[in-house]
Amino acid sequence: MRNYRPESVRARMETHRDKPPSHNSIRFGWIFLLAIYVGILMFLVDLTTTPATDINAVSIWEIEQDNARQEWLALAWAGFARSMGTLLWFAPLGIFAALALPRRKRFFTRAITVFAPAALAAVALGYVVTELTVGPSDTARGLWVLSLGTLGGVLGAAVGTAAARGAIPLLMFFPKLAAAAIAIAAVGTFLVTSTTPFDIKGPHVGSEDRRHLVQLLRGHNPMTLRAGETRAIVISSRDIELMLASGLSLVGATPPLTVETRNEDTLVRISAHVPYLDRFINLTIRLRIRVERGILDLGVPQLRLGSIRVPGPVRGALAKFAETLVQRDETLSPVLSGIDDLVVGNIGVAISYRRMDLQGKFLPTVLARLGPGEDALRAARAQLAHFAEVAPGWAHNEALFEKSLQTAFELAKNRSETGNPIAENSGALLALSTLLGHPQLSVFAGLESEAQTIRHTRRFLRNTRLRGRRDWSRHFFVSAGLMQLSTVAVSDAVGLLKEELDADMDEGGSGFSFADLLADRAGTMFARAATLDVSGAERIQAAMSSGIDVSEVFPPADGLREGLADDVLRRDFGGVGGDGYQRVIDDIEARLSRCPLLRPGRIELD
């Protein structure tokens, strides 16, 4: 019988007490923490807000204004910070998963048996959390959160793998991560850019092309069709090129591009210059688009960015995401639901469509994204109510142009004591554009509820003249109103298009008028000066409230030719963009530069 020694038992007990916990118990502890953290993500953390939510609060056209640009940048930064916060919320999933796995010394063994399983577990858990808290991952918001969660989980798995080795490997991980990110960015930039662009030339959109597009689309307003009526239109690949080039030119981009339609595919090739690098991004994308009874079927058989060929699974995921995004977008879905059939063939795109009720959701949503802010709309409604009250008392032989401007900006100045001067000026110009420009602008400005007030007030302002011309007054205020709905480029382009259409006198146009372009440009410049920044808005209010002289906002139009037919415009001026045409445009700009209220900056007051 073995001798009983109490001291040996005590020694064994002391040894057991001092022995560190087993690796298994530690791993179970990390698994327990991982389970708790999943519960925290699901029940205590708000992951539903995306950056676009706040950024959409600022109209993209308003970014030209200094204060709106600053607000947009602030919102964009806040959105970026929120995105990084979401990413960091998911990172512990990967960290805890990596720490719960056995330790490994060799690099490749760690990568296969620790990092890869931890990353997969984090991605899977992130998917579950996204589905249960945000919504389906095939929606824009769900996919955004899932993408951040995937990146955060993988990054967390890498951090956890390093932390399992000790404090020094963990500290060394972050410089390595920064170096890897820089290297990936450099290699990625090299791969997606080239030293030479595609050997293609972008379409030059001339007067004939713009008139052609107008004629092509004229009579195809889906809102004017009767119930049950259908209509069809065929848009050639050349027409698509012209539309893309025209749209890109409005934002100052004119990259060379080509569009080809072959069988069921649409091939688009674009080259864009990368500033500072003297390199080019060459994009090739082949789309397979079909719409049948409002259901979009989208495929991407080819996608190449520089020298990178995007693999099939990624193209399929992108196509599915874009397809779902279009189907569920409240702006695009009403348009899509009105398309019976859309087929791509060798001659172009054939579209059969029926009546679309776009004023219900489409226009309000578009206007919320592109149109003026709510502050400007409130100011415009106040201006319309004020004009409806005072305009009936004005004499028809008064200088209504000057009186209207003075009245509007006096009210804007008074309201600015408790409001934003830029929004108040924008509202004043919106109201004037519907009263003295064109009443249809009220629809695009979000003021359709004021239609009766506008019709009533316009009766007392119909004799408004600018240097004796009613049409110049309309040109001035329509351009000023368009500036509140778009940008300088869009406002100028609309004015030029109108004159190009007028130049086609065989179609009933009145002829191209450089004097009308002067009025268009004056309205655009005045609106920009009045809404560019707070100090400029206040200066315009002060100047206009004290009474104005027409020469301060509109120079003499002496010598500017009007009523030019298209062939005369080409013969005498080289057409739109010709040398003779450009000399007249330079003269117009010189005349406008001498008008003090059209220049953003210091205004001399008497």
Side-chain angles (χ1 to χ4, degrees):
M1 181 176 179
R2 195 166 61 179
N3 295 332
Y4 175 72
R5 296 180 179 179
E7 63 275 9
S8 64
V9 174
R10 285 195 298 270
R12 284 196 300 269
M13 291 177 63
E14 293 292 335
T15 302
H16 181 72
R17 186 184 306 129
D18 295 337
K19 185 178 179 180
S22 68
H23 290 300
N24 286 334
S25 61
I26 294 176
R27 289 200 297 271
F28 283 129
W30 288 117
I31 294 173
F32 180 70
L33 286 176
L34 178 61
I36 292 177
Y37 191 76
V38 170
I40 291 174
L41 283 181
M42 292 179 63
F43 299 108
L44 300 180
V45 180
D46 181 13
L47 303 171
T48 60
T49 305
T50 61
T53 304
D54 290 337
I55 291 176
N56 281 339
V58 179
S59 165
I60 63 173
W61 304 120
E62 291 177 345
I63 295 175
E64 193 172 73
Q65 302 169 356
D66 284 352
N67 72 313
R69 182 164 56 248
Q70 293 170 2
E71 182 182 357
W72 189 90
L73 289 174
L75 291 173
W77 174 253
F80 173 78
R82 189 179 297 114
S83 298
M84 292 302 98
T86 301
L87 184 149
L88 293 176
W89 273 115
F90 280 94
L93 295 177
I95 295 174
F96 294 153
L99 292 174
L101 292 170
R103 311 300 190 254
R104 294 290 185 266
K105 292 184 178 181
R106 296 181 180 275
F107 175 79
F108 289 107
T109 305
R110 286 198 308 274
I112 295 173
T113 63
V114 180
F115 171 73
L120 289 174
V123 171
L125 290 172
Y127 176 81
V128 173
V129 170
T130 302
E131 288 285 327
L132 295 178
T133 60
V134 181
S137 58
D138 61 348
T139 63
R141 185 171 61 182
L143 186 60
W144 176 256
V145 174
L146 180 61
S147 300
L148 292 173
T150 299
L151 183 59
V154 172
L155 180 62
V159 173
T161 303
R165 300 176 58 212
I168 294 179
L170 177 61
L171 292 175
M172 292 297 296
F173 169 79
F174 295 102
K176 292 178 182 178
L177 179 64
I182 294 173
I184 291 173
V187 173
T189 302
F190 177 79
L191 292 176
V192 302
T193 59
S194 307
T195 56
T196 56
F198 283 142
D199 187 18
I200 57 177
K201 292 184 179 180
H204 173 70
V205 185
S207 299
E208 292 284 353
D209 298 318
R210 281 186 279 264
R211 282 200 293 267
H212 165 70
L213 291 177
V214 170
Q215 292 295 333
L216 174 68
L217 299 176
R218 183 171 288 167
H220 287 283
N221 184 351
M223 293 189 292
T224 62
L225 300 183
R226 296 186 298 272
E229 181 182 2
T230 60
R231 198 165 293 177
I233 184 174
V234 177
I235 304 175
S236 68
S237 57
R238 171 66 177 174
D239 296 333
I240 298 174
E241 285 182 357
L242 294 174
M243 292 176 184
L244 287 174
S246 298
L248 290 172
S249 68
L250 297 179
V251 294
T254 55
L257 63 91
T258 60
V259 178
E260 300 176 27
T261 55
R262 301 174 183 172
N263 298 325
E264 297 181 348
D265 292 353
T266 302
L267 177 66
V268 181
R269 301 173 71 211
I270 302 177
S271 281
H273 180 256
V274 181
Y276 308 113
L277 295 182
D278 197 25
R279 295 176 68 85
F280 299 86
I281 295 178
N282 295 326
L283 172 66
T284 301
I285 182 169
R286 188 185 302 275
L287 300 171
R288 187 162 295 161
I289 306 173
R290 178 67 191 270
V291 178
E292 188 172 0
R293 297 186 181 277
I295 304 300
L296 173 64
D297 182 14
L298 177 63
V300 186
Q302 180 185 3
L303 178 58
R304 179 170 180 170
L305 188 61
S307 57
I308 298 179
R309 296 179 182 271
V310 179
V314 177
R315 296 197 311 269
L318 290 174
K320 180 63 178 177
F321 172 62
E323 183 180 297
T324 305
L325 196 64
V326 172
Q327 292 278 174
R328 299 188 180 187
D329 186 88
E330 58 183 351
T331 303
L332 299 176
S333 58
V335 177
L336 196 62
S337 62
I339 299 177
D340 284 334
D341 200 24
L342 184 151
V343 180
V344 177
N346 293 332
I347 61 173
V349 180
I351 305 174
S352 174
Y353 62 94
R354 59 183 181 273
R355 176 178 173 80
M356 302 179 192
D357 183 15
L358 301 182
Q359 292 190 351
K361 290 184 177 180
F362 179 81
L363 280 179
T365 305
V366 170
L367 292 173
R369 295 180 181 179
L370 306 182
E374 187 56 39
D375 289 343
L377 290 178
R378 279 195 294 268
R381 294 186 185 101
Q383 290 279 354
L384 290 172
H386 183 61
F387 270 86
E389 181 180 347
V390 301
W394 293 351
H396 289 288
N397 58 354
E398 286 192 72
L400 294 179
F401 180 87
E402 297 92 320
K403 192 172 185 64
S404 296
L405 279 174
Q406 182 176 358
T407 300
F409 281 90
E410 278 182 350
L411 179 61
K413 182 181 179 181
N414 294 334
R415 287 175 54 86
S416 295
E417 294 179 1
T418 57
N420 183 342
I422 295 177
E424 295 301 328
N425 287 4
S426 180
L429 292 169
L430 283 172
L432 290 171
S433 70
T434 62
L435 295 174
L436 301 173
H438 198 295
Q440 194 65 23
L441 283 174
S442 64
V443 176
F444 299 100
L447 296 170
E448 62 275 12
S449 61
E450 308 295 324
Q452 184 174 352
T453 301
I454 293 170
R455 284 195 302 269
H456 167 75
T457 309
R458 280 176 62 87
R459 293 184 299 160
F460 305 100
L461 300 173
R462 64 183 57 172
N463 199 40
T464 303
R465 300 170 186 268
L466 176 56
R467 290 193 181 274
R469 295 269 297 264
R470 292 180 181 176
D471 58 331
W472 287 349
S473 176
R474 288 194 295 271
H475 278 274
F476 183 95
F477 284 113
V478 165
S479 295
L482 287 173
M483 263 293 293
Q484 311 316 304
L485 306 174
S486 56
T487 63
V488 172
V490 175
S491 182
D492 288 344
V494 171
L496 176 59
L497 176 61
K498 194 270 180 187
E499 296 309 318
E500 289 176 316
L501 295 176
D502 283 345
D504 191 358
M505 301 181 75
D506 292 337
E507 294 293 331
S510 59
F512 189 98
S513 170
F514 284 108
D516 287 353
L517 279 186
L518 177 70
D520 291 329
R521 186 77 177 116
T524 299
M525 291 179 65
F526 176 72
R528 185 171 188 270
T531 59
L532 186 61
D533 53 41
V534 172
S535 60
E538 292 175 340
R539 286 193 298 269
I540 289 290
Q541 289 176 358
M544 303 296 289
S545 299
S546 61
I548 67 163
D549 185 87
V550 170
S551 61
E552 295 178 297
V553 296
F554 187 67
D558 302 342
L560 295 178
R561 293 178 61 180
E562 300 186 79
L564 299 174
D566 195 39
D567 56 342
V568 176
L569 182 65
R570 286 196 300 266
R571 183 193 67 201
D572 294 351
F573 299 94
V576 174
D579 292 340
Y581 172 89
Q582 192 58 49
R583 283 193 293 271
V584 179
I585 295 301
D586 292 341
D587 176 40
I588 288 175
E589 293 298 321
R591 298 184 190 208
L592 293 168
S593 68
R594 292 189 285 271
C595 297
L597 295 185
L598 301 186
R599 299 192 300 268
R602 189 166 180 267
I603 297 174
E604 298 292 344
L605 298 177
D606 295 333

